Amino acid sequence: MFNPIVLNQVSLDWADGTPCLRDASAVFSSGLTGIVGDNGAGKSSLLRLITGELAPTSGTVSVTGPVGVLPQQLTLAVDSQIADLLGIRAVLDALHAIESGDVSAAHFEAVGDDWDVAARAQAELAAAGLPTDLDRRVGTLSGGEVMLTAIVGLHLKRHPITLLDEPTNNLDRPTRARLRDLLSGWRGTLLVVSHDAELLRLADQIVEVRDGRLTSYGGNWDAYLEQLVTEQESARRQLAGAEQRLRTEQRKRAEAQQRQAHRERFASKRAASGIGKSEQNYFTNRAEKSSAKQRVETEQQLDAARQAVDAAQGLVREDDSIAIDLPDPQVGSGRRLAELVDAVGRTHVIQGPERIGLIGPNGVGKTILLHALLGIGDAERSPVRARLLTERVGHLPQRLDGVDDGASVLENVQHAAPAQTTAAIRNRLARFGLRGEAVNRRLGQLSGGERFRALLAGLLLADPPAQLLVLDEPTNNLDRSTVDVLVDALGGYRGALIVVSHDDDFLKRLGLDRLLELEATGTLTELPAPD
């Protein structure tokens, strides 16, 4: 099988000597490969190695053929046109020049084999549900349409290798579905860095970036998760066996020490019984040689057992699940917490400890609706009138701003729960994966995932506890393990919940009671909860 991308024993160090990858090897063939891993594991750096933007510290990266790249941020000027976003402006200009009678060789070279590029572009744009006017301004497109159009442009170029970095970030549910349709028929080698479970279910293989290594798993996202479960069961059995062997070797050493002490007492008694000096030296030397040999053998076996335990522990992943008794907000089933009145006058009541997902296309005003409910920001522009019926509200904004990054993790929770002891807060923070000295670090010094956990802990451990939690796109840019922490933590929350999210997999895992879909007209439609 032809493999367009081969990484062989690749190591990558940053300028300060911090390792990013260590002896990483992987092979990428045709089909869709999902690149997964925790935030900061090196996924984007892997793509930059493939494009040649980064050079490995050691090892080799072999890439056969041109590479098309979709960056995480599209910064094309809003006054440019769809043809520019597609990357076909030069070809179209050359075609227009030729049609006008200019037969310069440069124009023919620019066109190459792309004589039908305009027709192909319009056909692919139409198939993706996008505007087909190639002269239309990019500024008239939604953010999701800009993303899809750029990906259509990569498809038009027919690169044998294409790299997409987090293509579903900030896309609404319909646009995500259109993106999946577009990628499902992709030809060539397609590498997609993503945390989107629905997208990763299209993958032919998953490559995980973890602890500086690359590990390939055949199959899609679900197959990857199944293989992880099997691996971890085997790793835990291996660790249990290694720990048993270590205990056995420790017992053997204790028994050997007891035997040696017995031999030394025996030698002392023989010496005291009056045997000759030469005979005494014989027994003493014999005992010492035997003891030294046995000590060496015992320590070697004990050291080997310790190394086996260390190796086995390295295979077992930390359990990041949350199992914690959160403060009870005392929300009865009849307690009305908020009201939303839409453009046609329908009133939607949030009542009791129910869980509601707020969905809708990009740009319809979901975040503004939340602001109206909370009485902040641009609330007057809300398409829906919102009224809060409780003062005990917790809010996790989309950008996680407005917090004191100079405060420590511990101080952040102490501010929300001043009556709790330091020991009690430390114990609960440990369940969020924040242990030891990590609780004394400043919020601004934490990684993205750690900072999210710290702010989530402050929200959920507040005393008195919030009766209503309002979360705005909480999974944006979160890795799988941090999303798992979020789901587990919310599973123990007994108040009401409003969540804005485009992540179908996340919404399913939350166990919602219902969905409210906001439309551009300002109407709210009640939908059943996702299965």
Side-chain angles (χ1 to χ4, degrees), residues 38-39 449 452-453 478-487:
D38 289 347
N39 295 129
F452 180 87
R453 294 179 191 213
L478 292 188
D479 56 50
R480 183 180 68 89
S481 62
T482 307
V483 172
D484 289 344
V485 167
L486 174 60
V487 172

Side-chain angles (χ1 to χ4, degrees), residues 239-259 294-295 297-310 313:
L239 176 58
E243 289 174 337
Q244 179 59 48
R245 287 192 294 275
L246 177 58
R247 288 192 293 269
T248 299
E249 294 302 330
Q250 288 172 331
R251 188 182 67 252
K252 287 181 178 178
R253 182 176 68 171
E255 292 171 350
Q257 289 173 338
Q258 290 176 352
R259 287 195 297 270
Q294 192 168 43
R295 274 200 306 272
E297 291 176 351
T298 299
E299 290 303 323
Q300 287 176 341
Q301 291 168 347
L302 189 59
D303 186 55
R306 288 196 185 100
Q307 291 179 15
V309 169
D310 291 342
Q313 284 177 332

Side-chain angles (χ1 to χ4, degrees), residues 190-263:
L190 177 62
L191 274 61
V192 182
V193 170
S194 182
H195 300 304
D196 186 329
E198 293 295 332
L199 173 56
L200 293 170
R201 288 191 174 101
L202 300 177
D204 299 292
Q205 74 164 342
I206 300 291
V207 170
E208 182 184 46
V209 186
R210 180 181 173 85
D211 295 334
R213 308 281 181 172
L214 302 178
T215 306
S216 300
Y217 297 84
N220 67 4
W221 175 253
D222 293 326
Y224 159 73
L225 294 180
E226 289 176 6
Q227 291 175 77
L228 278 189
V229 170
T230 301
E231 279 185 3
Q232 287 305 289
E233 288 175 350
S234 175
R236 290 189 179 93
R237 287 195 299 270
Q238 185 174 334
L239 176 58
E243 289 174 337
Q244 179 59 48
R245 287 192 294 275
L246 177 58
R247 288 192 293 269
T248 299
E249 294 302 330
Q250 288 172 331
R251 188 182 67 252
K252 287 181 178 178
R253 182 176 68 171
E255 292 171 350
Q257 289 173 338
Q258 290 176 352
R259 287 195 297 270
Q260 177 58 26
H262 176 74
R263 282 194 292 268

Side-chain angles (χ1 to χ4, degrees), residues 4-5 46-53 63-72 74 85-87 150-167 183 186-193:
I5 305 172
L46 172 62
L47 298 191
R48 294 170 68 195
L49 282 167
I50 293 171
T51 62
E53 185 180 348
V63 179
T64 305
V67 180
V69 181
L70 178 79
Q72 280 187 302
L74 292 171
L85 185 56
L86 291 171
I151 294 176
V152 168
L154 290 174
H155 196 245
L156 281 171
K157 292 184 175 67
R158 301 169 178 168
H159 291 305
I161 300 170
T162 304
L163 312 180
L164 308 181
D165 198 351
E166 298 286 5
L183 298 186
W186 202 277
R187 293 185 178 182
T189 299
L190 177 62
L191 274 61
V192 182
V193 170

Side-chain angles (χ1 to χ4, degrees), residues 170-174 176 356-362 366-367 370 398 471-476 483 486 498-508 510 512 515-516 530:
N170 302 310
L171 297 189
D172 57 33
R173 297 167 78 239
R176 289 186 182 209
I356 295 174
L358 180 60
I359 62 174
N362 290 127
K366 298 185 297 297
T367 295
L370 297 186
Q398 192 171 143
L471 312 182
D472 193 358
E473 292 287 1
T475 64
N476 269 4
V483 172
L486 174 60
I498 300 177
V499 180
V500 171
S501 180
H502 299 305
D503 188 335
D504 285 347
D505 190 70
F506 171 65
L507 292 175
K508 290 175 185 177
L510 282 182
L512 298 177
L515 290 175
L516 290 178

Side-chain angles (χ1 to χ4, degrees), residues 100-112:
S100 300
D102 187 342
V103 293
S104 168
H107 296 324
F108 285 91
E109 184 177 345
V111 172

